[in-house]
Amino acid sequence: MRAPFEMTDGLSKLKDIIANLPPDSKHWDEATNRFQFIDRFVIECLGWERPNMRVEVTDDLGGRSDYILGNARAILEAKREAKIFSKLPVGRPSSIRKMRPLLAASPEFTAAVHQVLPYCVIHGAPIAIVCNGPQLAIFQALTPGMSPLDGECYFFNGFQSYIDFFPLLWTLLSPEGIFENRAHQDLAIHRNPRIPPKASEGIPELRKFRYRSEFEENLRGLSEVLLEEIEDNPNIKKDFYRECYVPLEANNQHLLLSKRIISARYRRVGGDSVTPSAVNSATGTGKNGDLLNDPAILSSGSRPIVVIGDVGVGKTSFFENLYESLDQEEKAETYFIHINLGLKANLTSDIKSHVLYEIPNSLNQKYGIDIHKYEFIESVYYREIKSFDGGVDGRLKGIDNAAYEKEKIAFLKTLENRSDAHLHASLGHLAKGRNKKIILIMDNADQRNFEVQQEAFLIAQELAATRNLLVFVALRPSTFYHSKSSGSLSGYQNKILTISPPPADEVVQKRLSFAVRVAEGKVEHAGLHGAMIKIGSVATFMNVTLRSIRNNEAIRAFLSNITGGNTRAVIELITGFCGSANVDSQKIVKMEEQYGNYRVPLHEFTKHALLGEYAYFNPQSSQVACNIYDTSMADPREHFLCGLVVAYLSSNVGVRDNDGFISGSSIIGEMSKLGFIEAQTRHALRRLATKKMIETPYAHYREIPVAETANPDEFYFRATSVGIYHIRFWGGAFTYLDATSTDTPIFDQNIRADVSDLAPSFSISDRYRKAYQFREYLFEQWSAANIGASYFDFVDLLQTQDKTFIDVKDAIDGVPKARAKGVKQRTKGGARRR
C-alpha cells in the first residue's frame, strides 16, 4: 500500500483544512466531525484510499468500528470535538508517553480507549487510534506479556501539533507506515523489554564437538562404506538395487500427513494448470519396465521428460533401478547413459563440453562402442560416403585408390570434428541402424547454479529433438518452478513425472539388511579389506539397530516423519547414529554379545538427531530439529507460537486451497486473534519454513531464498511431517526438552538460574532435573497464557510423553525395566495436572 501523493502534499492539504475550519466546529456532533474533518484528514492528508479502508464495521460482539485501516492493521475510533480529553499533561507528540497518567487524568480519554480496545482484539488489529478532531492518540492494542493500558502512546494535542509534527504523523499513520507497522515497532523499541539470556550462554564451549573413540571412529568409517558409498560400487550395484530399492509409494503408513496431501505434493509445481503425473499412476503397475514402454512416455516425442522430486527423495536411485530392473533381453537392446552433474563436470569449462565427452565415454566404457573408431564412422556416414563417391574426389576411386582413401579420410574427419553433429549422427545410427533403445538421464543438475541448470535443460532439449533417444531431466520442484517462471523451461511444454518419497523406515531396513550381509561376508565388498576392527562388531551393531527399528513402531514413525521424505537424510541420520559420540555403541555391542536380543530405545536415536556430533544442542547441531520454544520478543507466550502455527496448518480450521495450503495473511490473522502481533508471527513463519517444519508450494525459504525485507504474507503454507512430529511427539519428550532447555529464553528468574547451573553437566540426574524444571516452567507459562486454540493442546503433548520422563527417573532410581513397564498409571516425573 502506498499513498497517492507525497508527505509534503498531505501537509499542505492539512494546513488548508485547518485554516478553513468554521468557528462552530467545537459544537459538531460525531457524525459531522467525521464528515467535515476526520474523513478528509485520513484520505486527503494521510493518503488513505477507499479500497484499503472500511468504515462502520460491525463485529461478533456487537461493536461498530469507525475506521479499519489496511486489512485490520489499525482501528481508528472517532469522537466529537466537544469530547475534549481534558486535564492531560502537556508534552511533545514526538515523545512517547505512558498511558497510565493520561488515563488517570482524563475520564473522556479513558472511555475512548476502553471502547476501541475490544474492536482491535476482535479484528486482530495491533494498533489503536482515538481522535476527537484536534486530539489524537496512537497506542498498541496488543501488547505481549502486559496490558495495553500499561503501555505507551503517541499523543497529539491540538491542530498545531498536527502541523508541527506532521512528518511523524505521516510515518506512523500513512498507508506505508501502517503497512510497515511503524507505530507498533517504534513503541515496542521504546519499551525495549529484554529477552532474558539463554542458559547456553553460560556453557563455556557450546559448540564443542564430542570426539569419537577408536571403536566409534572405525564403526563410523565402515558404516559410511556400508550404508552410503555402497550404492556407487559398480561390482555390487545389481545386488544392491535388487535388495535395497524401495518402490516409490506415497502411501506411507507412518507419515503424519494426510494421504491427500502426500499424493498431491507436486500438483502445483507446473504453475500453469498442468497437473504432473506421479510415476506410479503413469506406469499402471509402477514397474520400471512399464515406464519405458508406457505410451504416454513414448509419445513425448521431441521433448525431454522432466522428473520432479524433492531433494533426497531418491531420483538418482530411481533412475539406476530403472535400468537394473530390466531383464537381460531388454538390457541387451538398451543403451543406458546416466550423466550425474552433481558428481562430475565441476572442473569442466562448460556443461556442453562435458556432455559431448560423457555420452561417447559412457557408450565406450559400458558397451564397447567407440564413436570415433573408423569402422563405426563409416557405418554412421554410409549415405554421406555414397554421396562423396559421386562427387569429384570420389572419381579417384579405382584410378588412384591411395589418393581416394586420403580424401575420404579427410572428408570423414571433417564430419567427425563437428562434435555435436557427430554425436547426433552416432546416436541416430545406434537407434535406427542397430534398432537400440537409448535412454539418457540428465541427473542432479539442480545441485548446480541456475545458469548450469538452464544449459543442461537446453542440451537435453536439443538431444530429445532428434527423436533418437529418450531423455529424462531430473529436477527439484523449486528448480523447476524457478526455471518455468523465468528460465529455459518457460518456452516449453514438457511431460512432467513426479517421484514421491518411499517409506523411510523401509529404506533403512533394506539398507541395513544389505549392509549386514556385506559385513558378514555374504556379499563381497573390496572396500572392507584392511578394516581396523573386526567386521563382526559392525555386523552386530547393525543387526541390533535393524532389530530395534523392525520391532519399535515409535522409531519407525520417528524416522519416517522427522526426515520429511528425504531418503538421503534418513540414510545420513542412521549412518551418523553408527559410531556417534553421543551413543554408547560399544556398550550396545557388549550388551548384545552378552545377553542377546538387545533393542536400542527411541531416545538414543532422538538424542543423536538433536545433538549430531556436538556435546550440547545449538541451532547448528541438528539437521532435523527445530527449537519450537525459542522466542523473538520478550513475550513468554511466544514459547507456543511455533506449535500453534504448525497445529493450525495441520488442523481442519481455516480456509485452505485444494492442496492444503493457507495464506500467510490468514495465518497472521489467526495468530492475532490469539494475541500475537504480526512481527512475531512473521518471524515464526520464516523460521519454521527454513527449518522444514512448514512449506510453501515451491520451497521458498527452504530452497528458494527470500529477501529479509519480504513479508511471508504473500506466500501460502502447509505443515510438513517434520513439524507435525515436533508438536505431537517430540516437543514433550525428555530428550527434546533436555536439549532445548538451554537454547530457550526462560522468563522465570529462579528456574532460569537453576537451568543455567545444570546446563554444562552431562550427568543423567542433572539432565533430568534440568528437563523436568523446564517442562514445569512451560506448563506454568501455558496456563498463564490462557490461549484458547482448539487445535493445539500443549498439556496433552506433555502428558503423552510422561513415559519418557518416568523411564529416565526409574533408571536413576535403579528401578528394573520389567517393573517399570508394568506401571501404567504412574504420574511420577509427569506433567503436572490441574
Side-chain angles (χ1 to χ4, degrees):
M1 292 184 292
R2 292 183 62 85
F5 49 79
E6 296 297 332
M7 184 266 291
T8 50
D9 299 322
L11 176 58
S12 177
K13 190 67 176 177
L14 175 64
K15 290 178 179 179
D16 290 342
I17 293 173
I18 292 175
N20 292 297
L21 280 176
D24 65 345
S25 65
K26 294 181 179 179
H27 306 290
W28 287 343
D29 59 20
E30 181 180 323
T32 306
N33 189 32
R34 288 177 56 183
F35 179 74
Q36 294 287 357
F37 176 72
I38 298 179
D39 284 356
R40 297 185 66 188
F41 173 63
V42 171
I43 296 170
E44 299 177 32
C45 304
L46 296 177
W48 282 93
E49 297 178 286
R50 285 176 172 80
N52 296 322
M53 56 184 290
R54 293 180 291 159
V55 297
E56 296 294 319
V57 181
T58 57
D59 57 44
D60 295 339
L61 299 180
R64 185 186 299 273
S65 302
D66 291 337
Y67 300 84
I68 295 183
L69 305 178
N71 194 23
R73 293 177 182 270
I75 291 180
L76 189 157
E77 176 63 22
K79 294 295 177 185
R80 58 193 175 97
E81 189 172 340
K83 285 280 188 181
I84 293 294
F85 305 144
S86 59
K87 301 179 181 178
L88 293 178
V90 178
R92 294 168 58 86
S94 57
S95 300
I96 293 177
R97 315 276 294 280
K98 288 286 185 182
M99 290 281 288
R100 283 295 181 186
L102 302 180
L103 294 168
S106 173
E108 295 83 4
F109 180 64
T110 301
V113 169
H114 286 180
Q115 183 177 353
V116 76
L117 282 176
Y119 303 160
C120 294
V121 171
I122 201 68
H123 290 289
I127 287 296
I129 309 160
V130 293
C131 179
N132 60 12
Q135 292 176 308
L136 182 146
I138 306 166
F139 56 95
Q140 290 177 310
L142 305 173
T143 311
M146 62 182 293
S147 166
L149 303 180
D150 292 322
E152 295 82 15
C153 71
Y154 287 100
F155 192 85
F156 295 80
N157 192 17
F159 287 127
Q160 189 59 44
S161 70
Y162 286 25
I163 295 172
D164 294 342
F165 295 94
F166 187 75
L168 176 61
L169 263 176
W170 179 272
T171 299
L172 301 177
L173 297 185
S174 68
E176 295 97 317
I178 291 294
F179 182 74
E180 295 174 5
N181 209 18
R182 292 296 298 274
H184 203 290
Q185 292 175 12
D186 289 355
L187 289 167
I189 290 172
H190 174 79
R191 187 180 311 115
N192 194 26
R194 298 190 63 182
I195 300 176
K198 298 178 179 180
S200 59
E201 294 184 15
I203 299 176
E205 296 180 79
L206 177 62
R207 285 171 171 76
K208 178 177 69 174
F209 286 97
R210 294 196 76 169
Y211 294 101
R212 292 187 287 268
S213 66
E214 183 180 354
F215 180 91
E216 292 164 346
E217 192 69 53
N218 287 311
L219 179 59
R220 168 61 63 82
L222 287 168
S223 299
E224 290 175 350
V225 172
L226 291 168
L227 291 172
E228 289 187 333
E229 301 172 14
I230 198 166
E231 61 183 294
D232 298 322
N233 190 316
N235 298 323
I236 58 175
K237 181 174 287 189
K238 181 177 180 179
D239 292 333
F240 173 81
Y241 281 103
R242 184 181 67 250
E243 297 188 28
C244 296
Y245 187 74
V246 178
L248 304 170
E249 300 169 356
N251 185 17
N252 186 337
Q253 61 176 328
H254 293 107
L255 274 183
L256 298 173
L257 296 174
S258 71
K259 293 181 180 179
R260 180 177 61 83
I261 295 296
I262 300 170
S263 60
R265 62 188 296 126
Y266 302 123
R267 187 203 304 271
R268 295 166 69 163
V269 72
D272 54 5
S273 301
V274 176
T275 301
S277 302
V279 166
N280 283 356
S281 63
T283 61
T285 63
K287 295 179 180 179
N288 289 319
D290 294 331
L291 174 64
L292 296 179
N293 294 296
D294 187 85
I297 301 299
L298 297 176
S299 64
S300 60
S302 60
R303 294 169 296 170
I305 298 163
V306 179
V307 179
I308 305 295
D310 282 315
V311 58
V313 79
K315 297 186 292 292
T316 299
S317 297
F318 167 75
F319 288 122
E320 289 290 344
N321 188 66
L322 183 71
Y323 177 73
E324 294 296 337
S325 62
L326 298 177
D327 59 36
Q328 292 303 314
E329 184 178 347
E330 290 174 315
K331 284 185 177 180
E333 299 300 321
T334 303
Y335 294 146
F336 183 80
I337 304 168
H338 190 170
I339 299 179
N340 191 334
L341 296 175
L343 295 176
K344 297 182 178 181
N346 292 292
L347 299 178
T348 55
S349 58
D350 60 86
I351 295 297
K352 182 177 179 180
S353 300
H354 175 71
V355 172
L356 290 175
Y357 166 79
E358 193 63 27
I359 294 178
N361 182 62
S362 183
L363 287 170
N364 193 13
Q365 295 292 325
K366 294 178 66 174
Y367 305 106
I369 298 171
D370 185 355
I371 68 170
H372 300 292
K373 193 174 181 179
Y374 182 78
E375 291 79 3
F376 182 84
I377 294 174
E378 274 192 314
S379 301
V380 171
Y381 297 111
Y382 172 77
R383 289 188 177 85
E384 287 79 358
I385 292 174
K386 287 191 67 175
S387 178
F388 174 83
D389 286 347
V392 175
D393 293 331
R395 299 296 292 172
L396 291 170
K397 188 176 183 180
I399 300 173
D400 187 345
N401 288 333
Y404 166 78
E405 289 296 333
K406 287 181 180 181
E407 293 297 335
K408 177 182 172 184
I409 291 170
F411 171 69
L412 293 176
K413 188 65 177 175
T414 301
L415 296 176
E416 182 194 16
N417 285 340
R418 295 164 53 199
S419 54
D420 51 348
H422 179 58
L423 179 60
H424 287 316
S426 300
L427 295 174
H429 171 71
L430 294 173
K432 297 170 183 175
R434 298 191 182 183
N435 198 29
K436 297 289 187 180
K437 180 183 290 185
I438 305 174
I439 301 171
L440 174 65
I441 311 297
M442 300 282 283
D443 196 8
N444 287 327
D446 48 9
Q447 294 184 14
R448 309 292 295 278
N449 61 45
F450 188 65
E451 289 71 24
V452 171
Q453 297 169 29
Q454 303 308 291
E455 188 178 1
F457 178 79
L458 291 175
I459 292 170
Q461 187 72 40
E462 180 180 336
L463 290 168
T466 65
R467 297 179 180 267
N468 294 321
L469 65 167
L470 191 61
V471 182
F472 292 89
V473 179
L475 297 174
R476 301 177 193 175
S478 57
T479 306
F480 180 81
Y481 167 74
H482 191 22
S483 185
K484 193 71 175 174
S485 302
S486 58
S488 300
L489 271 71
S490 59
Y492 299 95
Q493 290 293 328
N494 295 90
K495 177 69 179 177
I496 306 171
L497 296 180
T498 62
I499 295 180
S500 295
D505 58 316
E506 289 189 32
V507 171
V508 170
Q509 290 181 65
K510 289 199 172 190
R511 286 277 186 122
L512 282 170
S513 296
F514 188 74
V516 168
R517 280 171 34 80
V518 174
E520 292 175 343
K522 297 175 181 177
V523 177
E524 188 175 353
H525 192 299
L528 296 179
H529 293 319
M532 295 175 64
I533 62 172
K534 292 182 179 179
I535 200 67
S537 298
V538 180
T540 299
F541 185 85
M542 288 188 173
N543 262 318
V544 173
T545 304
L546 178 59
R547 180 192 306 127
S548 304
I549 295 172
R550 281 177 174 170
N551 291 282
N552 191 330
E553 188 166 344
I555 294 177
R556 297 199 298 275
F558 168 74
L559 294 174
S560 294
N561 289 286
I562 207 64
T563 52
N566 188 327
T567 304
R568 187 184 308 156
V570 75
I571 295 301
E572 290 175 353
L573 182 64
I574 294 298
T575 303
F577 174 77
C578 298
S580 170
N582 286 303
V583 177
D584 194 344
S585 51
Q586 198 159 8
K587 174 187 172 183
I588 291 173
V589 171
K590 288 181 178 179
M591 292 285 288
E592 172 66 15
E593 292 175 344
Q594 186 173 357
Y595 301 107
N597 200 34
Y598 182 78
R599 299 180 186 181
V600 182
L602 171 63
H603 69 79
E604 293 283 11
F605 291 92
T606 58
K607 182 182 177 184
H608 167 70
L610 283 160
L611 301 180
E613 301 299 322
Y614 290 86
Y616 305 98
F617 178 83
N618 64 75
Q620 287 78 44
S621 66
S622 176
Q623 296 298 315
V624 296
C626 172
N627 181 7
I628 60 175
Y629 301 122
D630 202 358
T631 67
S632 63
M633 294 185 177
D635 177 10
R637 300 173 81 254
E638 196 178 338
H639 288 315
F640 312 104
L641 178 56
C642 286
L644 286 162
V645 170
V646 175
Y648 175 61
L649 290 175
S650 61
S651 71
N652 294 321
V653 181
V655 178
R656 61 197 70 220
D657 62 22
N658 291 333
D659 302 320
F661 289 96
I662 298 181
S663 68
S665 58
S666 296
I667 300 169
I668 290 172
E670 174 68 18
M671 295 303 114
S672 295
K673 294 177 183 177
L674 300 177
F676 297 100
I677 65 173
E678 293 181 6
Q680 288 175 297
T681 307
R682 288 194 180 105
H683 180 271
L685 288 173
R686 293 188 194 98
R687 194 161 70 92
L688 290 171
T690 303
K691 294 296 289 184
K692 306 176 185 178
M693 303 272 284
I694 61 177
E695 63 182 353
T696 71
Y698 309 114
H700 288 91
Y701 295 100
R702 187 182 77 216
E703 293 181 23
I704 299 178
V706 178
E708 282 290 330
T709 54
N711 285 326
D713 309 40
E714 60 191 88
F715 299 106
Y716 282 72
F717 300 91
R718 70 182 176 197
T720 66
S721 65
V722 182
I724 297 173
Y725 189 86
H726 273 73
I727 65 164
R728 291 190 188 172
F729 299 99
W730 219 1
F734 167 78
T735 50
Y736 184 88
L737 293 174
D738 171 36
T740 57
S741 61
T742 59
D743 187 57
T744 304
I746 297 176
F747 293 83
D748 184 300
Q749 184 175 353
N750 294 328
I751 294 180
R752 181 170 70 249
D754 290 343
V755 171
S756 296
D757 289 342
L758 299 168
S761 176
F762 294 116
S763 162
I764 188 62
S765 298
D766 289 345
R767 289 171 52 206
Y768 176 83
R769 287 171 53 205
K770 176 183 65 179
Y772 182 81
Q773 290 205 54
F774 182 53
R775 183 170 65 162
E776 289 295 292
Y777 162 77
L778 291 174
F779 178 84
E780 296 293 343
Q781 293 300 330
W782 173 260
S783 301
N786 194 27
I787 296 173
S790 60
Y791 43 81
F792 185 56
D793 187 344
F794 181 71
V795 174
D796 182 67
L797 169 64
L798 296 183
Q799 291 178 355
T800 57
Q801 296 302 309
D802 273 354
K803 188 178 184 303
T804 64
F805 277 80
I806 292 171
D807 287 346
V808 175
K809 188 65 168 66
D810 286 338
I812 295 171
D813 295 340
V815 178
K817 284 193 175 182
R819 177 184 158 196
K821 286 182 179 179
V823 182
K824 297 288 187 181
Q825 303 298 325
R826 284 183 64 173
T827 58
K828 180 182 179 183
R832 186 184 305 167
R833 275 93 165 153
R834 288 190 175 182

